Amino acid sequence: MTQEQRTINIQRLGYAESEAQFLCLVALHGGYFVRRQFDSWIGVQRGKRSEEFVADLLDRRHCRRHVFEHNRQVFHLHFRPFYSAISDENSRNRREHQPQAIKARLIALDFVLAHPGNHYFATELEKIEYLCGERGITREHLPAKLFGNTRRYFLDRFPMFTRPGASDIAFCYIDSGFETSAAFVTHLRHYLPLFGELPSFELVYVGTASARFGEAQTVFERVLSHGCAWLSKAADANRLLEHFRDRLLFEQRQTSSFDRVRLDRLRDDMDTFSGPHFVELFERWKSLGDDAILAELASCKMPKGRFSKILLPHDYDIFGRIQVAS
C-alpha cells in the first residue's frame, strides 16, 4: 500500500490531509507523538492548531494521553481503524509500552520527520517483501523471534530505508539512553546473518547524546569483525576439510596411524576451528561431504557495513513514573 493510499484512508476517518499524513507516520513509526512533532510537521510554532488537533483525537478516543515529569504530555495512537487504514492492523505500535520503549519510538519519529526524502520500509511485511522479494534474501537470514508457532520479524521496528539514488539499505539503531552497549551488541548479532547477505549496508546510530557515538562505532566494528572471524579462519578450505577428516577419525578412536606432528596439528586445529559455525559445518560435512562444504564457504560473504551517526536535539528527559491522564 502506498503512502498516498494510507493517507486517503485516514482522511476518511475525518482528518485533514496534513493531519492524516502525520497520523500515518505516527502509526507506522512507533505509535507515539508529542505536540512539538505535529507543530514541526505543519510548520508552525506551538499554538491553537496543535491544541485543537490533540483535543479532537482525545475527544474521539483515537489516542490516549500520558503525563510524565514536568507535566510533559505524550500521546499514544491506539485506535485500531488507524492501523487498519495503513494495512498494519496487528501492529505492536497499538500496544502500551514502558517509558524506555516510548522514548525510542519518539526518537524514531523525530528521525523520520527530519529525513522525509528517504524511502522507508515501515511495516514487518514491507521489510520482508523488499528484502526477500527484491533482494533475494531468504527469511532464515532475517532477524526474528518465535512466539509459539509464529515467527515475527524485525520486532525492534527501527527505521529501515533507502536514500534516493542509492542502492545501499540503511538500518537505524535508536539509542534511547536507557540501554548499555551490551544492548547494541545483542542487536548487531541479531542482524549479522542479514548483514552478511547484503553486498553493503549502512548502520545509522541515532541518539540524543554524542558522548556515546565513539563507543558505538567501536562496538560496531568489533562485532562485525568478530562475527565473520570464523570465515577468515575457513579461508583455507583444504586445511579445513583435512581437519574434518582427522576430527572424524579422532571421534571414532581411529588414531593409530597418527604421529606426533599430526596429533599436535589436530589439537591446534581443534582450537582454531571451534565455535558454533564450525560445529555446524562439521555435521554438514559428515552428512554431505566435501562438495557441500566448498559450496557453503563459497556462498558466505563478509559483511561490508558503514557506520554513521545522527544526533537529535531533543533528549526527552521527561520519563519518570508514568501516569495515565486520560
Side-chain angles (χ1 to χ4, degrees), residues 132-305:
C132 299
E134 295 191 33
R135 293 286 183 143
I137 296 170
T138 59
R139 289 197 181 206
E140 66 188 45
H141 293 99
L142 304 182
K145 186 174 181 180
L146 194 63
F147 295 90
N149 295 323
T150 303
R151 189 174 298 275
R152 297 296 304 274
Y153 299 86
F154 299 101
L155 291 182
D156 54 80
R157 296 303 295 262
F158 293 160
M160 173 183 132
F161 61 92
T162 56
R163 293 187 173 89
S167 59
D168 280 359
I169 307 174
F171 302 88
C172 283
Y173 176 79
I174 305 298
D175 179 3
S176 70
F178 287 98
E179 301 90 350
T180 65
S181 60
F184 186 39
V185 171
T186 300
H187 178 83
L188 291 173
R189 287 176 175 167
H190 203 41
Y191 271 74
L192 272 178
L194 171 57
F195 291 163
E197 292 298 303
L198 296 169
S200 59
F201 69 94
E202 180 182 2
L203 191 288
V204 184
Y205 192 94
V206 183
T208 61
S210 59
R212 300 168 69 101
F213 288 163
E215 180 185 10
Q217 183 165 1
T218 299
V219 168
F220 174 77
E221 294 169 353
R222 184 178 72 243
V223 171
L224 255 64
S225 63
H226 287 184
C228 61
W230 73 273
L231 189 54
S232 298
K233 294 176 182 178
D236 186 347
N238 290 329
R239 179 187 171 192
L240 177 63
L241 293 174
E242 185 177 353
H243 166 68
F244 282 170
R245 287 188 280 271
D246 283 353
R247 188 168 174 171
L248 180 60
L249 291 173
F250 180 78
E251 287 187 353
Q252 296 173 341
R253 301 182 181 276
Q254 298 179 18
T255 58
S256 58
S257 62
F258 284 35
D259 57 19
R260 173 55 59 184
V261 173
R262 193 172 176 184
L263 285 170
D264 288 344
R265 184 179 62 201
L266 175 62
R267 181 194 60 203
D268 293 341
D269 285 351
M270 290 287 281
D271 290 334
T272 300
F273 302 124
S274 62
H277 291 289
F278 291 111
V279 170
E280 181 179 342
L281 283 176
F282 181 52
E283 295 302 321
R284 186 174 178 81
W285 172 80
K286 287 195 291 186
S287 299
L288 302 175
D290 291 2
D291 289 343
I293 300 306
L294 293 172
E296 181 86 7
L297 294 177
S299 67
C300 291
K301 306 175 184 69
M302 296 281 194
K304 295 180 180 178

Side-chain angles (χ1 to χ4, degrees), residues 13 62 77-85 88-90 94:
L13 298 175
H62 289 178
L77 194 65
H78 69 91
F79 189 49
R80 183 183 292 274
F82 280 117
Y83 294 90
S84 298
D88 196 22
E89 187 172 359
N90 296 318
R94 290 189 59 243

Side-chain angles (χ1 to χ4, degrees), residues 9-187:
N9 291 345
I10 293 178
Q11 283 183 267
R12 290 170 179 159
L13 298 175
Y15 293 91
E17 182 178 7
S18 60
E19 295 171 341
Q21 290 170 339
F22 178 76
L23 291 170
C24 179
L25 293 177
V26 172
L28 288 170
H29 298 283
Y32 290 85
F33 73 94
V34 295
R35 288 182 184 176
R36 170 188 54 76
Q37 291 171 322
F38 177 71
D39 290 335
S40 173
W41 175 255
I42 61 175
V44 300
Q45 298 295 321
R46 180 173 177 176
K48 186 176 180 180
R49 176 75 184 278
S50 62
E51 291 178 1
E52 291 177 344
F53 172 65
V54 167
D56 186 34
L57 283 167
L58 291 171
D59 288 345
R60 299 171 67 180
R61 300 186 182 276
H62 289 178
C63 81
R64 296 189 181 97
R65 175 173 52 200
H66 300 292
V67 180
F68 292 90
E69 289 183 353
H70 315 300
N71 202 35
R72 300 290 182 85
Q73 298 180 8
V74 176
F75 303 93
H76 179 212
L77 194 65
H78 69 91
F79 189 49
R80 183 183 292 274
F82 280 117
Y83 294 90
S84 298
I86 65 172
S87 193
D88 196 22
E89 187 172 359
N90 296 318
S91 173
R92 294 168 63 86
N93 292 340
R94 290 189 59 243
R95 302 181 183 180
E96 296 289 338
H97 293 86
Q98 295 300 312
Q100 174 180 335
I102 295 173
K103 183 177 179 181
R105 283 162 167 74
L106 291 174
I107 293 172
L109 182 59
D110 270 340
F111 176 85
V112 171
L113 293 174
H115 302 86
N118 297 333
H119 178 76
Y120 293 94
F121 304 94
T123 68
E124 177 184 22
L125 182 59
E126 284 180 345
K127 293 175 181 179
I128 293 172
E129 287 181 343
Y130 176 71
L131 291 169
C132 299
E134 295 191 33
R135 293 286 183 143
I137 296 170
T138 59
R139 289 197 181 206
E140 66 188 45
H141 293 99
L142 304 182
K145 186 174 181 180
L146 194 63
F147 295 90
N149 295 323
T150 303
R151 189 174 298 275
R152 297 296 304 274
Y153 299 86
F154 299 101
L155 291 182
D156 54 80
R157 296 303 295 262
F158 293 160
M160 173 183 132
F161 61 92
T162 56
R163 293 187 173 89
S167 59
D168 280 359
I169 307 174
F171 302 88
C172 283
Y173 176 79
I174 305 298
D175 179 3
S176 70
F178 287 98
E179 301 90 350
T180 65
S181 60
F184 186 39
V185 171
T186 300
H187 178 83

